[in-house]
Structure formats: C-alpha cells, structure tokens
Amino acid sequence: MALEEDNKPQRPQRKRKLRWGRLVFVVVLLAAVVTAGFWGAVWCYDNLIAPPQVAVVGADSKITEDAKLNSRINVLLLGVDDGDSEAAETEPKRTDAMMLASFDPEGNEVALVSMPRDTMVQIPGHKGYDKINAAYAYGGVMLAKQTVANLLRVPIHYYVLVDWRAFKESIDLIGGVDLYVDKDMYYEDPYADLVIDIKHGYQHLNGELAGQYVRFRKDELGDIGRVQRQQKFMMALAAQIFNIDTVTKIPALFSTVDRHVETDMDTMTMIKAANTFKLFGDQNLKSCMLYGDFYDSPDGVSYWRTSPEEVERTLTELGIPHMPPGGAEETETTDTDNN
C-alpha cells in the first residue's frame, strides 16, 4: 500500500499567487499606523514633553522674572461681546467680560478677580484714559494682556477667549446650573434680537438662561451689578462642574473648548490648573471684584475708577502675589474672603 502510494505521480505544487489587493491593504495599514504614531509622538512632544513657550506679560521685567509671582498660573479670561454688540460682524469687538483667574497648584487654591468693563485704564499706545474693554478691540489679546498686567502688576501667563455660543453649550453639557436669582430680570432689545426674562427665586439655568443672567445689566448698578452676578454664577458653576456627577462629562467639555474657545494654554497646563480643584468642589475658590468707585469724567464718560491702593487691597484679600508700584513684592496676604 505504501509502495503504491509512493509510485503515484506527484502533482506539481502550485505557487501561491501574490494578492496585490492584500499587499496594498497591508502597506496602507502600516503607513497609517506609522503616520498616526509619528503625529502622536509629535503631539506628545509638543504638549507633554516640550510644550510651546508662551511669553509672560508683565508691567516690567521684575514682574516677569520674579519666582514667587510666577509660581502661580495667571490666566486672563475674556468673554467676547458678540450678542448685544452694535459693532458689525467684521469690526473688532470689545470684551463683555474680563477676569483674571489665578491658580495656585501647590496650595490647591483659585482666585478670581473680576474687572468691570468700564474700568478706567491707560491702554498702551493710546493717549489719555479709556475703558478696559476697549483694549481687545484696539489690539487683540496681546494688548488686553498688557493692559491688565499694567493695571494689576501681576504676570499674565495665558489667556482664554470665549464666545457666548461656547459658554451656553458648555452649560447645557453639564446639565445647567442651579442658582438663586435675587430679583426679576427683564430686558428687551429688538435691534440686537435680545430678550432677557428670568424670574426671581431659585432657578435651574440652562445655557440660554445662564447667558441671559450673566449679561443682564439693566438695573441701578449697571455693569457693576452684572459683574457681581457673573461672580455669583462662577461660584455656582464651580460647585456644579467639579462634583462627581459632572466629572464624567469633562471630555465633552474639552471637545467644546477645542471647537469654540481660543487659548494659548497647552494641554498639560490645563490639566495642572484643573488639578487645583482636587476635591471636586468650590471650597478653594475665592472671588472679588476690583475695588473702585463710579466716576464721571469732565467729558461725560462714565467709568469705574480704581487706584493702586484699591488694586493692592483686592489682590491681598485674594492672596494673589503682586508687585506694588514701589517695586517691593507684596508678601503679606490675608485670609479674608470677599465672596
């Protein structure tokens, strides 16, 4: 039997044809993997290993080089006035909200300074005095950074520019914010297609209502009342966004930030700043409006006028290291909370 099998004619072995389709697929797949790996490595290098360096902005070199002043992360927050602005679509817009967020990564504390948009300042390159919200319209982010740095005498490391669409979308993503509204708020401007209608009492504010709440200024305090409401809202937002239920939605928030928010902060700096809220709460957040008074100039312009002493008082209460006009660094701070 075995002999018969051995004597059977052997069929010639057929060579397997090379399947070009399969080869092309493998080559394309490898190219995709290599490309993804390359750009992933570039992203990691740019964002994690050697993120792009952003120049620190300060009133002078003593501020930009001072180790204590630069131990914090100071971020200028800018809200663009794109809703009730009378400017055309192509015209430079003034900022509707301007705040300094100062993060202390070591002490796990955050301080928020709100500057009324009518704050009286000297804008670099412009004669006389102007309102602080004009700085962005005159010269964009860099001029806004320099104006605030000169006013507060602290280093400005980064900025975040937000439009109201991103603000409202972010509030909707976290499910809204619960807030006590002190009084009925109603205002209608048909020219700007704007209607604000919020009732007094405890309210659950979705994105649209939250946008109305923080922009309302048609009361006896005008812009100062709006700044106070913005601070109140930020405190409620901090309590909401850093609780356990909302933390799972942070990836979606980062997606919104990526699409609608402009910033020069790298990914690691964002994570470092966000890590300041280690306990997922607002107990480490202090806020204060820049101290000052109403002032009508001789030419009939209404301002919020502050002084070096009032600036120093504001920053000292919040525990933000700063350089007084005299040049000696202010190291004494109090624990007074002016929420």
Side-chain angles (χ1 to χ4, degrees), residues 56-69:
V56 180
V57 177
D60 53 49
S61 59
K62 291 182 180 179
I63 293 175
T64 58
E65 297 172 3
D66 187 280
K68 181 176 177 63
L69 299 183

Side-chain angles (χ1 to χ4, degrees), residues 97-286:
M98 190 175 265
M99 304 178 186
L100 178 76
S102 182
F103 298 87
D104 178 8
E106 293 186 2
N108 298 324
E109 294 181 347
V110 182
L112 191 66
V113 182
S114 296
M115 292 159 281
R117 66 181 196 170
D118 292 341
T119 300
M120 185 177 180
V121 295
Q122 289 183 303
I123 298 178
H126 294 261
K127 293 182 179 179
Y129 290 94
D130 212 322
K131 297 183 178 182
I132 197 169
N133 71 333
Y136 178 75
Y138 291 161
V141 169
M142 282 308 299
L143 189 57
K145 275 186 177 183
Q146 191 64 63
T147 302
V148 174
N150 292 351
L151 174 67
L152 301 183
R153 295 189 65 78
V154 299
I156 306 293
H157 302 106
Y158 305 100
Y159 79 93
V160 174
L161 180 68
V162 184
D163 63 32
W164 288 113
R165 180 174 56 177
F167 174 83
K168 291 186 288 187
E169 187 173 327
S170 298
I171 300 304
D172 284 334
L173 275 173
I174 66 171
V177 173
D178 296 319
L179 190 71
Y180 181 79
V181 179
D182 296 320
K183 58 185 177 183
D184 288 345
M185 301 165 61
Y186 185 83
Y187 173 69
E188 186 174 355
D189 185 352
Y191 296 100
D193 193 24
L194 175 67
V195 177
I196 295 176
D197 188 8
I198 305 176
K199 301 302 181 184
H200 167 258
Y202 283 102
Q203 301 289 344
H204 181 76
L205 304 180
N206 60 16
E208 182 64 33
L209 290 176
Q212 294 179 17
Y213 179 83
V214 299
R215 296 170 71 188
F216 181 79
R217 65 172 183 269
K218 299 300 179 180
D219 59 10
E220 62 277 5
L221 291 177
D223 191 52
I224 303 307
R226 170 157 65 173
V227 170
Q228 292 172 347
R229 283 185 289 274
Q230 287 174 352
Q231 286 203 326
K232 180 179 178 180
F233 183 85
M234 291 295 286
M235 297 294 289
L237 176 61
Q240 176 95 9
I241 199 171
F242 288 102
N243 63 37
I244 299 300
D245 294 333
T246 310
V247 167
T248 57
K249 301 173 183 177
I250 287 180
L253 288 174
F254 271 106
S255 176
T256 298
V257 167
D258 186 57
R259 285 183 288 117
H260 295 307
V261 177
E262 179 183 314
T263 182
D264 56 357
M265 295 178 71
D266 59 83
T267 305
M268 283 305 296
T269 303
M270 288 185 189
I271 294 174
K272 186 177 180 181
N275 193 47
T276 305
F277 290 94
K278 283 186 175 178
L279 300 180
F280 304 113
D282 65 336
Q283 63 273 13
N284 294 335
L285 173 64
K286 295 180 179 180

